[in-house]
Amino acid sequence: MKIQDVQFIKSAVKPDQYPDYDFAEIAFAGRSNVGKSSLINTLIQRKDMVKTSSKPGCTQLINFFLVNETLSLVDLPGYGYAKVSKKIRATWQPMVETYLAGRSNLLGLVLIIDIRRDPGQEESALADWLESRKIPYLVVLTKADKLSKTQQQKRCAAICSRLHRDKNAVILFSAKTRLGRETVLDEIDNLMAWYDQKG
Ligand SMILES: Nc1nc2c(ncn2[C@@H]2O[C@H](COP(=O)(O)OP(=O)(O)O)[C@@H](O)[C@H]2O)c(=O)[nH]1
Ligand SMILES: [Mg+2]
């Protein structure tokens, strides 16, 4: 996919605030500070369309972007940051679950994991939940530039085995070097083709 045009549509908390369109939609989820905003910015080639922050845990809104007037991208709030208040933490799960369970144009999800971390309970639970609902998802390992090639392969194998996923089914990514950008866009194209076929 060639990204020609990107518009920020809106931020939402509740379903009645979601944009009322049925463009194919891809949501991005991951732990706070994992590099989710940087990944989306890299995909759409905008420096700061999606706010990136070195202060994790502040985004608690669902942000909608429209690409080429045909594909909707959704930045979900990050989870699992220990320093946010209990109240903020307690709102994350219902907000995201409500979105994932109820969004009829949701095509798939990009699950983002820091290549240096082992997937935790949140990632496994989200992966299981997506599988039970037959929602396709890509696994993207970010910040690959922080490791050598050998370390990348080792970490990739460890993460895949934890998630019971094939090694070819995860994508190494770096917002710094743009490693993996084309692969993620190709996978999104594949999901869109599958969606169109499904009707
Ligand atoms: N080296 C490196 N740093 C990254 C990468 N992606 C994100 N970061 C840094 O990680 C921090 C959090 O990134 P951000 O995109 O705001 O994460 P989010 O909280 O998941 O949206 C920022 O300081 C980014 O510059 C990457 O691929 N490589
Ligand atoms: Mg962010």
Side-chain angles (χ1 to χ4, degrees):
M1 180 194 317
K2 219 173 147 233
I3 311 269
Q4 275 145 341
D5 168 72
V6 185
Q7 289 167 267
F8 169 70
I9 303 298
K10 68 186 300 196
S11 298
V13 175
K14 298 181 293 188
D16 63 359
Q17 301 164 335
Y18 301 166
D20 181 23
Y21 52 47
D22 57 8
F23 299 117
E25 194 160 278
I26 305 276
F28 294 77
R31 184 170 284 268
S32 297
N33 214 33
V34 74
K36 183 162 49 68
S37 300
S38 303
L39 165 60
I40 301 172
N41 283 329
T42 303
L43 294 180
I44 65 181
Q45 290 180 291
R46 298 292 188 280
K47 245 205 174 106
D48 47 13
M49 186 85 172
V50 186
K51 218 173 117 196
T52 57
S53 156
S54 47
K55 199 167 68 179
C58 25
T59 332
Q60 290 295 331
L61 296 167
I62 302 177
N63 295 308
F64 293 82
F65 300 86
L66 188 60
V67 174
N68 298 351
E69 294 186 22
T70 51
L71 172 67
S72 176
L73 299 184
V74 173
D75 185 13
L76 294 171
Y79 51 80
Y81 189 64
K83 278 187 189 155
V84 302
S85 71
K86 274 206 181 114
K87 196 171 158 199
I88 291 180
R89 254 188 289 169
T91 58
W92 185 85
Q93 199 178 350
M95 199 195 314
V96 170
E97 259 182 35
T98 301
Y99 166 79
L100 292 173
R103 191 70 169 156
S104 59
N105 56 327
L106 179 66
L107 178 54
L109 183 132
V110 178
L111 175 58
I112 307 156
I113 299 171
D114 186 323
I115 192 165
R116 300 163 302 172
R117 281 192 66 253
D118 282 329
Q121 159 63 21
E122 289 95 341
E123 282 84 7
S124 306
L126 184 54
D128 288 349
W129 192 84
L130 293 166
E131 274 161 32
S132 75
R133 297 202 161 233
K134 303 210 169 10
I135 300 172
Y137 63 98
L138 307 173
V139 176
V140 172
L141 307 184
T142 49
K143 309 196 186 184
D145 59 275
K146 297 212 183 231
L147 298 181
S148 69
K149 283 234 165 82
T150 317
Q151 288 173 313
Q152 286 174 8
Q153 292 313 316
K154 267 195 194 152
R155 290 297 309 142
C156 182
I159 293 168
C160 287
S161 108
R162 279 212 177 216
L163 290 177
H164 310 291
R165 240 178 129 85
D166 194 84
K167 240 194 341 214
N168 303 317
V170 303
I171 302 168
L172 300 185
F173 186 86
S174 164
K176 209 167 169 185
T177 67
R178 293 153 52 104
L179 170 77
R181 178 179 181 270
E182 291 302 321
T183 313
V184 174
L185 290 175
D186 287 348
E187 290 293 335
I188 291 176
D189 276 338
N190 290 341
L191 284 174
M192 286 178 82
W194 169 84
Y195 187 71
D196 289 343
Q197 229 174 36
K198 204 177 64 151

